[in-house]
């Protein structure tokens, strides 16, 4: 009998050595302590059996308690670990404190009656020759019983509780349960039967064995020490291990942090359908993985991207497969960055595509705008033509009335018609110019001109208009103005006429002062012309807008005709010639418009003082006498509008010139082949063959009129056309409505 105890005790101690030497790293502190405590307790029991005196028995009993008192506590901790239940620290502290308190009581036995009644202590040898320690319990022995059975019940409770959990590891939990029940049974039977030998050391060894086996199996999958360390240390990697049959074994803190559900899974857990998706994913992966080489894949779960690698866990020299290791890193953030980048990129691409579209659209629009501009120019040219043609007739007929009517009232009416027609013509000219400015097709010519001619025209127009309103004209001019300059004389004149006509228009009484001067630098003369009036003036706040198109300082000039285009055009012209136009004005007192323009000097001989001796041509229509009479001269007028032809015939009636007419280019060519003409007036826009085509044809072949001068007489007055026609080879250009004088003058030029 004693032999079995000796063996049990030896085994208990051997277990300590075995743990320390052979199983290093495969047990926890609690397990090691449990082995030590069981060995101590068993040794105490053995010593007790071998005691001969009460004193020896008391000491042996104390040794037995040193171990035994902690056994249940440690079993409790180990079971908690196996079934994965965390117990609060205060419970541990209370249990340990109680254990030490009890131990203190036990150690004090023999000196007081608290634990054992001292007088009851005695030893007897039983029938097996083993010492029995007889004692009756003191009042505080109850603490030990409470502690022992309390801990036992706690073990039982958590094991049963764990068994009820959905994902409990049943096989192992039940084993724990069986061990516990067995222990309890042994204890109860011992108390009832009162065995001569304490069976508890056997029970302890058994429970210890069972628990260790379980812990070993669990730790088996913690793999080698290295891998175990990796599991713990590589905090940015998640590790989850599975046994050979694909069941969960263990995971490191990072894995548990990523998937808190792993905390609930223990070894041999049952996997149900609604088990965490990640687990299912992995299980499926493992199941379908036949190879030996590690494989990788991205598992997308609950918005997380996990880059996972699946490997075999091998053991021994043969590298037997003992399980699986899933290693993963959480790439959610980097993925999200990539996705964000991709999204941003695709947004950018979209934005680019949109921009591209907009660009196309803008190009299309600008194309459309260009087309619209072309259409506008074409429209203006047509409009100009269409309006000019009837005005031509009106003005022509009016001229005839003025020439021939003896009735003063009628001539007065006719004079009004003339004024209005001229004004209408001015407006059309302005609109044409404005459209040219707008479409950026403003060509500035660079021709030599006599400054005197320009100033004379400006002066005469001022004089005529001022005289009609009873305004005084004052002229101040520099004596050293160069005679000849190079530039666009027509535009310069246009600007001057515009500010002059405004000064007269907006002045009711007083005087208009025309001052001409300039500055010479090298061969450039900056011409400076100022027109000062004593008119209504312009309010300060309107000064800046009068140069804008269609802007008029409305309030003041109500009732005065105007379009608000003159100054806008003048300003643009001035700027296009690198000059400028400015204004100074005092409301109610008068205005001064100053125009400056740099012009190349061609001849700097001083012009001399401009005296203003030239008088406007006052010849009235009444005293008209033809400037030329040529009975034998033949003129061909080519025009599709009968009215125009009629007009010219009437205007030239007194010149006695023979006038033939043709309605289009083809007819004209035919006639030119049959009869010699001294001069041809050719319209441009005609059906079948226009003027330019007809002109080319005429010059192509030999016939009676190959050298006859041809004058373009057209309503197409868009600026720049004159140059175009002259460049084409036409001898001259007259725009409709052509004044009777200009018509005669041109004829005089070519017919002697
Ligand atoms: P319009 O004379 O056809 O209205 P303009 O472009 O020539 O157009 O002039 C713009 C505006 O400037 C005029 O409507 C008028 O209000 C103002 N203005 C121009 N010249 C004078 C002037 N000499 N005195 C007073 N106001 C003027």
């Amino acid at each position: 009998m004693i032999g079995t105890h000796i063996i049990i005790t030896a085994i208990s101690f051997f277990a300590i050595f075995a743990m320390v030497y052979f199983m290093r790293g495969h047990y926890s502190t609690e397990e090691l302590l449990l082995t030590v405590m069981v060995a101590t307790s068993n040794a105490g029991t053995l010593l007790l059996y071998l005691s001969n005196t009460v004193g020896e028995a008391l000491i042996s009993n104390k040794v037995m308690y040193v171990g035994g008192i902690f056994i249940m506590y440690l079993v409790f901790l180990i079971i908690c670990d196996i079934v994965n239940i965390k117990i609060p620290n205060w419970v541990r502290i209370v249990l340990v404190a109680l254990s030490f308190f009890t131990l203190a009581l036990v150690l004090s036995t023999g000196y007081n009656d608290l634990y054992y009644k001292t007088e009851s202590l005695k030893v007897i040898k039983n029938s097996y020759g083993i010492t029995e320690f007889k004692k009756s319990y003191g009042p505080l022995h109850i603490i030990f019983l409470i502690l022992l059975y309390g801990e036992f019940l706690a073990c039982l409770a958590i094991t049963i509780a764990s068994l009820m959990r959905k994902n409990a590891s049943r096989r192992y939990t039940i084993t724990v349960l069986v061990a516990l029940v067995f222990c309890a049974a042994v204890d109860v039977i011992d108390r009832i039967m009162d065995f001569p030998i304490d069976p508890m050391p056997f029970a302890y060894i058994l429970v210890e064995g069972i628990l260790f086996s379980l812990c070993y199996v669990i730790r088996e999958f913690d793999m080698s020490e290295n891998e175990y360390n990796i599991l713990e240390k590589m905090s940015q990697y998640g590790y989850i291990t599975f046994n050979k049959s694909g069941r969960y074994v263990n995971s490191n803190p990072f894995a548990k942090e990523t998937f808190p559900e792993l905390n609930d899974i223990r070894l041999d857990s049952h996997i149900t359908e609604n088990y965490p998706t990640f687990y299912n994913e992995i299980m499926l992966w493992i199941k379908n993985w036949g190879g030996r080489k590690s494989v990788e894949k991205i598992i997308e779960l609950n918005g997380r991207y996990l880059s996972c690698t699946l490997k075999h866990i091998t053991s021994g020299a043969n590298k037997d497969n003992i399980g699986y290791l899933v290693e993963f890193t959480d790439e959610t953030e980097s993925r999200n960055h990539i996705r964000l980048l991709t999204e941003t990129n695709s947004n950018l691409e979209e934005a680019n595509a949109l921009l591209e579209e907009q660009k196309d659209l803008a190009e299309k629009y600008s194309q459309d705008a260009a087309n619209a501009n072309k259409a506008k120019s074409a429209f203006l040219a047509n409009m100009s033509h269409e309006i000019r043609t009837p005005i031509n007739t009106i003005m022509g007929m009016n001229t005839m009335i003025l020439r021939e009517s003896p009735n003063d009232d009628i001539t007065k009416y006719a004079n009004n018609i003339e004024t209005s027609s001229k004004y209408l013509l001015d407006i059309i000219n302005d609109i044409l110019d404005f459209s040219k400015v707008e479409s950026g097709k403003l060509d500035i010519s660079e021709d030599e001109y006599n400054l005197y001619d320009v100033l004379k025209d400006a002066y005469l127009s001022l004089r005529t208009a001022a005289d009609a309103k009873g305004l005084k004209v004052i002229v101040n001019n520099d004596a050293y103005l160069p005679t000849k300059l190079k530039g666009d004389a027509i535009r310069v004149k246009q600007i001057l006429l515009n500010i002059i006509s405004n000064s007269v228009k907006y002045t009711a009484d007083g005087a208009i002062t025309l001052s001409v001067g300039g500055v010479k630098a090298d061969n450039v003369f900056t011409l400076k012309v100022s027109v000062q009036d004593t008119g209504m003036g312009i309010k300060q706040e309107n000064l800046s807008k009068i140069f804008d198109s269609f802007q008029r300082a409305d309030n003041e000039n109500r009732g005065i005709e105007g379009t608000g285009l003159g100054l806008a055009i003048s300003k643009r012209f001035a700027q296009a010639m690198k000059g400028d136009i400015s204004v100074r004005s005092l409301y109610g007192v008068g205005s001064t418009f100053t125009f400056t323009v740099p012009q190349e000097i061609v001849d700097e001989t001083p012009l001399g003082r401009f005296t203003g001796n030239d008088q406007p041509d006052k010849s009235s229509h009444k005293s008209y006498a033809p400037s030329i009479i040529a009975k034998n001269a033949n003129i061909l007028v080519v025009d599709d509008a009968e009215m125009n032809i009629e007009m010219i015939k009437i205007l030239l009636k007194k010149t006695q010139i023979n006038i033939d007419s043709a309605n289009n280019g083809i007819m004209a060519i035919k006639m030119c082949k049959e009869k010699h003409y001294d001069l041809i007036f050719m319209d441009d826009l005609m059906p079948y063959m226009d003027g330019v085509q007809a002109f080319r044809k005429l010059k192509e072949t030999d016939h009676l009129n190959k050298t006859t001068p041809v004058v373009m007489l057209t309503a197409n007055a868009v600026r720049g056309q004159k140059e175009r026609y002259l460049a084409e080879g036409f001898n001259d250009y007259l725009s409709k409505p052509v004044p009777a004088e200009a018509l005669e003058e041109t004829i005089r030029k070519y017919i002697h």
Side-chain angles (χ1 to χ4, degrees):
M1 270 299 158
I2 192 75
T4 46
H5 264 281
I6 291 172
I7 292 168
I8 284 290
T9 309
I11 290 173
S12 309
F13 280 98
F14 174 74
I16 302 174
F17 284 99
M19 275 182 107
V20 175
Y21 286 105
F22 306 122
M23 293 161 64
R24 195 194 295 257
H26 282 263
Y27 52 83
S28 63
T29 319
E30 288 85 11
E31 286 161 46
L32 181 63
L33 266 179
L34 180 66
T35 324
V36 173
M37 295 308 171
V38 168
T40 315
S41 169
N42 288 356
T45 311
L46 183 63
L47 286 176
L48 185 67
Y49 292 158
L50 300 177
S51 310
N52 291 318
T53 65
V54 170
E56 282 175 6
L58 262 179
I59 289 177
S60 307
N61 194 60
K62 287 172 186 173
V63 172
M64 190 181 81
Y65 266 95
V66 168
I69 208 143
F70 295 102
I71 289 177
M72 215 53 216
Y73 169 68
L74 292 167
V75 166
F76 172 66
L77 292 187
I78 291 168
I79 290 178
C80 283
D81 188 37
I82 290 173
V83 300
N84 198 28
I85 284 180
K86 293 208 166 30
I87 47 161
N89 269 347
W90 65 266
V91 176
R92 288 169 187 257
I93 293 166
V94 169
L95 292 178
V96 170
L98 268 179
S99 304
F100 276 103
F101 180 65
T102 316
L103 184 62
L105 284 175
V106 174
L107 294 179
S108 72
T109 49
Y111 304 103
N112 57 47
D113 287 347
L114 291 173
Y115 199 77
Y116 296 143
K117 289 197 174 121
T118 324
E119 67 282 2
S120 67
L121 297 174
K122 53 183 168 216
V123 289
I124 50 158
K125 290 272 175 190
N126 67 15
S127 50
Y128 296 97
I130 291 170
T131 302
E132 250 185 88
F133 185 43
K134 293 283 179 194
K135 67 253 169 186
S136 54
Y137 299 112
L140 292 186
H141 183 261
I142 186 84
I143 296 179
F144 172 67
L145 293 181
I146 292 172
L147 184 66
L148 183 72
Y149 293 113
E151 282 170 345
F152 177 77
L153 286 176
C155 287
L156 209 59
I158 55 167
T159 313
I160 292 169
S162 148
L163 203 57
M164 316 248 285
R165 284 194 311 189
K166 202 165 65 191
N167 299 307
S169 161
R170 285 177 201 279
R171 206 191 311 167
Y172 294 92
T173 324
I174 289 172
T175 315
V176 171
L177 195 63
V178 168
L180 284 176
V181 172
F182 175 74
C183 259
V186 170
D187 189 51
V188 170
I189 293 168
D190 176 36
R191 279 171 202 277
I192 296 168
M193 312 269 297
D194 196 16
F195 289 128
I197 280 188
D198 188 357
M200 280 320 279
F202 299 94
Y204 287 154
I205 279 289
L206 191 79
V207 171
E208 187 189 305
I210 290 172
L211 292 184
F212 284 1
S213 310
L214 285 182
C215 291
Y216 185 81
V217 175
I218 291 167
R219 301 244 158 65
E220 181 197 18
F221 296 100
D222 285 350
M223 300 139 300
S224 72
E225 203 174 334
N226 263 348
E227 263 169 310
Y228 183 78
N229 285 341
I230 288 171
L231 277 179
E232 295 295 326
K233 284 178 193 159
M234 299 288 279
S235 55
Q236 69 276 45
Y237 284 89
Y239 290 97
I240 308 174
T241 50
F242 299 86
N243 67 14
K244 233 192 317 194
S245 47
R247 287 180 170 175
Y248 171 79
V249 174
N250 206 357
S251 51
N252 75 338
F254 181 76
K256 287 192 173 120
E257 203 179 290
T258 313
F259 297 102
E261 59 263 35
L262 289 176
N263 288 309
D264 295 338
I265 315 175
R266 288 305 290 180
L267 186 65
D268 196 30
S269 283
H270 281 268
I271 311 302
T272 58
E273 287 271 298
N274 36 10
Y275 210 75
T277 341
F278 172 70
Y279 198 81
N280 277 341
E281 285 254 359
I282 303 256
M283 294 310 304
L284 265 177
W285 194 24
I286 292 175
K287 228 167 143 186
N288 298 331
W289 180 48
R292 283 195 73 84
K293 273 190 185 168
S294 59
V295 281
E296 290 176 10
K297 79 168 181 178
I298 297 281
I299 293 182
E300 226 181 303
L301 208 79
N302 306 335
R304 309 190 83 116
Y305 290 92
L306 304 171
S307 169
C308 305
T309 312
L310 174 61
K311 302 175 181 171
H312 281 292
I313 301 168
T314 51
S315 125
N318 295 339
K319 298 214 172 273
D320 295 328
N321 179 20
I322 56 160
Y324 302 95
L325 173 76
V326 174
E327 176 191 293
F328 69 88
T329 48
D330 191 345
E331 291 194 350
T332 314
E333 257 179 43
S334 57
R335 281 276 170 150
N336 281 345
H337 281 144
I338 291 171
R339 207 189 42 222
L340 213 71
L341 270 177
T342 322
E343 267 170 27
T344 317
N345 209 20
S346 80
N347 280 350
L348 270 178
E349 273 169 17
E350 262 171 40
N352 259 345
L354 212 72
L355 271 179
E356 202 64 36
E357 244 172 57
Q358 299 287 336
K359 201 182 111 207
D360 287 352
L361 221 66
E363 272 169 10
K364 192 175 161 286
Y365 283 147
S366 74
Q367 191 66 40
D368 288 354
N371 288 342
N373 240 340
K374 270 189 200 154
K376 191 168 87 180
S377 298
F379 166 76
L380 286 168
N382 286 339
M383 186 197 77
S384 145
H385 184 263
E386 293 305 321
I387 297 176
R388 269 163 202 279
T389 308
I391 296 181
N392 184 28
T393 315
I394 296 168
M395 290 180 89
M397 292 303 174
N398 202 50
T399 308
M400 293 316 291
I401 296 171
L402 284 169
R403 273 184 199 170
E404 292 177 8
S405 171
N407 185 323
D408 273 356
D409 279 343
I410 298 210
T411 28
K412 220 167 92 193
Y413 300 149
N415 267 326
N416 286 341
I417 294 177
E418 192 180 57
T419 314
S420 293
S421 307
K422 275 188 182 155
Y423 180 58
L424 185 59
L425 214 57
D426 280 349
I427 293 178
I428 290 170
N429 286 339
D430 274 357
I431 291 178
L432 280 175
D433 280 344
F434 178 70
S435 86
K436 278 222 120 184
V437 169
E438 285 290 279
S439 60
K441 287 183 191 153
L442 189 61
D443 343 277
I444 301 296
S445 63
E446 286 289 322
D447 296 320
E448 291 177 9
Y449 66 91
N450 284 324
L451 183 56
Y452 179 81
D453 291 343
V454 172
L455 294 179
K456 189 183 97 178
D457 284 353
Y459 170 73
L460 289 182
S461 115
L462 170 63
R463 236 356 242 280
T464 315
D467 283 357
K469 276 184 93 171
L471 301 172
K472 222 177 127 194
V473 174
I474 305 165
V475 178
N476 291 321
N477 81 315
D478 197 331
Y480 300 101
L481 297 173
T483 312
K484 257 189 177 176
L485 297 174
K486 197 172 180 188
D488 196 330
I490 293 177
R491 306 285 190 210
V492 172
K493 200 155 89 182
Q494 206 178 337
I495 294 170
L496 293 182
L497 292 183
N498 188 261
I499 52 178
I500 284 172
S501 77
N502 274 352
S503 67
V504 176
K505 198 158 76 170
Y506 297 105
T507 305
D509 46 43
I512 314 285
T513 310
L514 173 70
S515 312
V516 189
V519 190
K520 207 186 117 202
D522 297 332
N523 68 333
V524 173
F525 182 72
T526 304
L527 180 68
K528 179 175 174 186
V529 183
S530 300
V531 181
Q532 187 182 6
D533 64 51
T534 53
M536 58 172 59
I538 305 162
K539 281 186 186 157
Q540 194 65 27
E541 66 261 29
N542 290 333
L543 277 180
S544 57
K545 60 179 194 183
I546 56 168
F547 291 104
D548 293 341
S549 44
F550 302 107
Q551 291 292 333
R552 308 189 71 212
D554 260 336
N555 291 338
E556 302 90 53
N557 57 26
R558 216 167 267 165
I560 302 174
E561 286 167 329
T563 54
L565 271 180
L567 284 180
I569 294 169
S570 299
K571 180 102 179 172
R572 305 286 210 297
F573 282 172
Q575 284 169 345
M577 293 189 285
K578 299 191 177 65
D580 200 11
I581 180 164
S582 60
V583 60
R584 273 186 298 116
S585 185
L586 211 54
Y587 186 55
V589 176
S591 322
T592 307
F593 282 84
T594 306
F595 163 54
T596 50
V597 64
Q599 303 274 276
E600 196 185 311
I601 302 170
V602 179
D603 180 356
E604 57 182 340
T605 321
L607 189 68
R609 205 163 280 282
F610 183 75
T611 55
N613 281 340
D614 293 272
Q615 293 297 311
D617 186 1
K618 284 209 174 123
S619 58
S620 115
H621 294 296
K622 283 212 151 178
S623 57
Y624 166 77
S627 58
I628 176 172
I629 296 177
K631 251 198 266 177
N632 299 325
N634 290 301
I635 290 179
L636 175 64
V637 179
V638 190
D639 202 312
D640 59 327
E642 270 307 327
M643 209 45 159
N644 286 343
I645 295 169
E646 208 48 39
M647 263 290 315
I648 291 175
K649 281 182 179 170
I650 293 172
L651 285 177
L652 296 179
K653 197 164 77 181
K654 290 205 169 160
T655 61
Q656 298 175 23
I657 297 171
N658 298 311
I659 299 173
D660 286 350
S661 64
N663 293 119
N664 57 56
I666 298 171
M667 200 171 152
I669 290 164
K670 195 165 166 262
M671 288 170 73
C672 282
K673 284 180 182 160
E674 289 160 8
K675 183 177 172 181
H676 168 77
Y677 292 104
D678 300 297
L679 187 61
I680 301 172
F681 283 112
M682 179 81 81
D683 185 21
D684 190 6
L685 306 175
M686 290 180 293
Y688 309 122
M689 186 185 280
D690 68 28
V692 176
Q693 285 171 326
F695 176 77
R696 285 182 193 152
K697 274 253 179 293
L698 276 183
K699 299 289 165 186
E700 251 172 33
T701 45
D702 272 342
H703 52 77
L704 296 167
N705 290 294
K706 186 157 188 192
T707 54
T708 305
V710 184
V711 175
M712 172 52 77
L713 178 60
T714 178
N716 184 357
V718 176
R719 247 173 259 281
Q721 289 298 325
K722 179 181 176 181
E723 289 70 25
R724 188 168 78 84
Y725 292 127
L726 294 185
E728 189 64 48
F730 284 90
N731 298 69
D732 226 323
Y733 165 90
L734 283 177
S735 95
K736 291 180 206 171
V738 57
E741 302 83 54
L743 193 64
E744 276 183 26
E745 204 179 306
T746 311
I747 291 171
R748 267 203 298 140
K749 224 158 110 186
Y750 297 102
I751 299 176
H752 310 288

mmCIF file of all heavy atoms in Angstrom, residues 563-580:
data_model
loop_
_atom_site.group_PDB
_atom_site.id
_atom_site.type_symbol
_atom_site.label_atom_id
_atom_site.label_comp_id
_atom_site.label_asym_id
_atom_site.label_seq_id
_atom_site.Cartn_x
_atom_site.Cartn_y
_atom_site.Cartn_z
ATOM 1 N N THR A 563 -26.777 107.254 -82.799
ATOM 2 C CA THR A 563 -26.838 105.805 -82.523
ATOM 3 C C THR A 563 -25.925 105.401 -81.381
ATOM 4 O O THR A 563 -25.986 104.288 -80.879
ATOM 5 C CB THR A 563 -26.387 105.002 -83.765
ATOM 6 O OG1 THR A 563 -25.101 105.489 -84.133
ATOM 7 C CG2 THR A 563 -27.358 105.134 -84.896
ATOM 8 N N GLY A 564 -25.048 106.313 -80.999
ATOM 9 C CA GLY A 564 -24.097 105.940 -79.951
ATOM 10 C C GLY A 564 -22.968 105.098 -80.501
ATOM 11 O O GLY A 564 -22.254 104.435 -79.760
ATOM 12 N N LEU A 565 -22.784 105.133 -81.807
ATOM 13 C CA LEU A 565 -21.735 104.301 -82.413
ATOM 14 C C LEU A 565 -20.512 105.098 -82.829
ATOM 15 O O LEU A 565 -19.398 104.587 -82.817
ATOM 16 C CB LEU A 565 -22.294 103.619 -83.673
ATOM 17 C CG LEU A 565 -22.972 102.281 -83.493
ATOM 18 C CD1 LEU A 565 -23.447 101.765 -84.820
ATOM 19 C CD2 LEU A 565 -22.011 101.292 -82.861
ATOM 20 N N GLY A 566 -20.749 106.379 -83.188
ATOM 21 C CA GLY A 566 -19.681 107.209 -83.755
ATOM 22 C C GLY A 566 -18.402 107.220 -82.934
ATOM 23 O O GLY A 566 -17.326 106.900 -83.445
ATOM 24 N N LEU A 567 -18.516 107.553 -81.638
ATOM 25 C CA LEU A 567 -17.310 107.652 -80.811
ATOM 26 C C LEU A 567 -16.669 106.287 -80.577
ATOM 27 O O LEU A 567 -15.444 106.168 -80.526
ATOM 28 C CB LEU A 567 -17.628 108.321 -79.468
ATOM 29 C CG LEU A 567 -17.827 109.841 -79.529
ATOM 30 C CD1 LEU A 567 -18.144 110.386 -78.147
ATOM 31 C CD2 LEU A 567 -16.580 110.517 -80.093
ATOM 32 N N ALA A 568 -17.536 105.249 -80.434
ATOM 33 C CA ALA A 568 -17.001 103.894 -80.214
ATOM 34 C C ALA A 568 -16.132 103.505 -81.403
ATOM 35 O O ALA A 568 -15.013 102.995 -81.233
ATOM 36 C CB ALA A 568 -18.138 102.907 -80.044
ATOM 37 N N ILE A 569 -16.625 103.775 -82.590
ATOM 38 C CA ILE A 569 -15.858 103.428 -83.794
ATOM 39 C C ILE A 569 -14.600 104.286 -83.869
ATOM 40 O O ILE A 569 -13.507 103.782 -84.112
ATOM 41 C CB ILE A 569 -16.738 103.620 -85.052
ATOM 42 C CG1 ILE A 569 -17.882 102.600 -85.034
ATOM 43 C CG2 ILE A 569 -15.911 103.480 -86.315
ATOM 44 C CD1 ILE A 569 -18.949 102.871 -86.065
ATOM 45 N N SER A 570 -14.773 105.586 -83.595
ATOM 46 C CA SER A 570 -13.619 106.485 -83.672
ATOM 47 C C SER A 570 -12.515 106.036 -82.736
ATOM 48 O O SER A 570 -11.329 106.025 -83.097
ATOM 49 C CB SER A 570 -14.022 107.905 -83.294
ATOM 50 O OG SER A 570 -14.999 108.355 -84.190
ATOM 51 N N LYS A 571 -12.915 105.660 -81.539
ATOM 52 C CA LYS A 571 -11.915 105.228 -80.549
ATOM 53 C C LYS A 571 -11.171 103.994 -81.074
ATOM 54 O O LYS A 571 -9.946 103.911 -80.986
ATOM 55 C CB LYS A 571 -12.633 104.915 -79.231
ATOM 56 C CG LYS A 571 -11.729 104.455 -78.120
ATOM 57 C CD LYS A 571 -11.477 105.584 -77.160
ATOM 58 C CE LYS A 571 -10.587 105.174 -76.004
ATOM 59 N NZ LYS A 571 -10.213 106.324 -75.200
ATOM 60 N N ARG A 572 -11.933 103.027 -81.586
ATOM 61 C CA ARG A 572 -11.308 101.800 -82.097
ATOM 62 C C ARG A 572 -10.369 102.117 -83.264
ATOM 63 O O ARG A 572 -9.277 101.588 -83.343
ATOM 64 C CB ARG A 572 -12.357 100.792 -82.584
ATOM 65 C CG ARG A 572 -13.388 100.439 -81.572
ATOM 66 C CD ARG A 572 -12.831 99.510 -80.478
ATOM 67 N NE ARG A 572 -13.871 98.646 -79.956
ATOM 68 C CZ ARG A 572 -14.960 99.070 -79.310
ATOM 69 N NH1 ARG A 572 -15.137 100.360 -79.122
ATOM 70 N NH2 ARG A 572 -15.859 98.214 -78.876
ATOM 71 N N PHE A 573 -10.833 102.981 -84.148
ATOM 72 C CA PHE A 573 -9.981 103.355 -85.287
ATOM 73 C C PHE A 573 -8.699 103.992 -84.777
ATOM 74 O O PHE A 573 -7.603 103.653 -85.209
ATOM 75 C CB PHE A 573 -10.708 104.361 -86.188
ATOM 76 C CG PHE A 573 -11.738 103.748 -87.091
ATOM 77 C CD1 PHE A 573 -12.586 104.557 -87.850
ATOM 78 C CD2 PHE A 573 -11.844 102.368 -87.219
ATOM 79 C CE1 PHE A 573 -13.534 104.010 -88.697
ATOM 80 C CE2 PHE A 573 -12.797 101.808 -88.060
ATOM 81 C CZ PHE A 573 -13.644 102.632 -88.800
ATOM 82 N N ALA A 574 -8.866 104.955 -83.844
ATOM 83 C CA ALA A 574 -7.706 105.671 -83.327
ATOM 84 C C ALA A 574 -6.714 104.690 -82.724
ATOM 85 O O ALA A 574 -5.506 104.754 -82.973
ATOM 86 C CB ALA A 574 -8.153 106.688 -82.288
ATOM 87 N N GLN A 575 -7.249 103.759 -81.927
ATOM 88 C CA GLN A 575 -6.357 102.796 -81.282
ATOM 89 C C GLN A 575 -5.696 101.883 -82.306
ATOM 90 O O GLN A 575 -4.527 101.531 -82.160
ATOM 91 C CB GLN A 575 -7.135 101.982 -80.250
ATOM 92 C CG GLN A 575 -7.392 102.797 -78.993
ATOM 93 C CD GLN A 575 -8.368 102.142 -78.050
ATOM 94 O OE1 GLN A 575 -9.081 101.215 -78.432
ATOM 95 N NE2 GLN A 575 -8.430 102.646 -76.828
ATOM 96 N N ALA A 576 -6.457 101.505 -83.326
ATOM 97 C CA ALA A 576 -5.881 100.632 -84.351
ATOM 98 C C ALA A 576 -4.730 101.339 -85.066
ATOM 99 O O ALA A 576 -3.827 100.696 -85.590
ATOM 100 C CB ALA A 576 -6.953 100.221 -85.342
ATOM 101 N N MET A 577 -4.770 102.676 -85.058
ATOM 102 C CA MET A 577 -3.685 103.420 -85.709
ATOM 103 C C MET A 577 -2.639 103.858 -84.684
ATOM 104 O O MET A 577 -1.828 104.730 -84.945
ATOM 105 C CB MET A 577 -4.269 104.655 -86.419
ATOM 106 C CG MET A 577 -5.167 104.293 -87.593
ATOM 107 S SD MET A 577 -5.644 105.707 -88.578
ATOM 108 C CE MET A 577 -6.845 106.478 -87.528
ATOM 109 N N LYS A 578 -2.697 103.236 -83.490
ATOM 110 C CA LYS A 578 -1.779 103.530 -82.379
ATOM 111 C C LYS A 578 -1.950 104.934 -81.827
ATOM 112 O O LYS A 578 -1.066 105.506 -81.217
ATOM 113 C CB LYS A 578 -0.328 103.298 -82.793
ATOM 114 C CG LYS A 578 -0.048 101.866 -83.206
ATOM 115 C CD LYS A 578 1.435 101.627 -83.350
ATOM 116 C CE LYS A 578 1.718 100.192 -83.678
ATOM 117 N NZ LYS A 578 1.191 99.797 -85.001
ATOM 118 N N GLY A 579 -3.106 105.512 -82.094
ATOM 119 C CA GLY A 579 -3.400 106.839 -81.581
ATOM 120 C C GLY A 579 -4.443 106.738 -80.488
ATOM 121 O O GLY A 579 -4.686 105.662 -79.949
ATOM 122 N N ASP A 580 -5.063 107.867 -80.165
ATOM 123 C CA ASP A 580 -6.099 107.831 -79.126
ATOM 124 C C ASP A 580 -7.051 109.003 -79.309
ATOM 125 O O ASP A 580 -6.759 109.963 -80.025
ATOM 126 C CB ASP A 580 -5.452 107.872 -77.739
ATOM 127 C CG ASP A 580 -6.403 107.351 -76.669
ATOM 128 O OD1 ASP A 580 -7.459 106.783 -77.048
ATOM 129 O OD2 ASP A 580 -6.112 107.515 -75.471
#
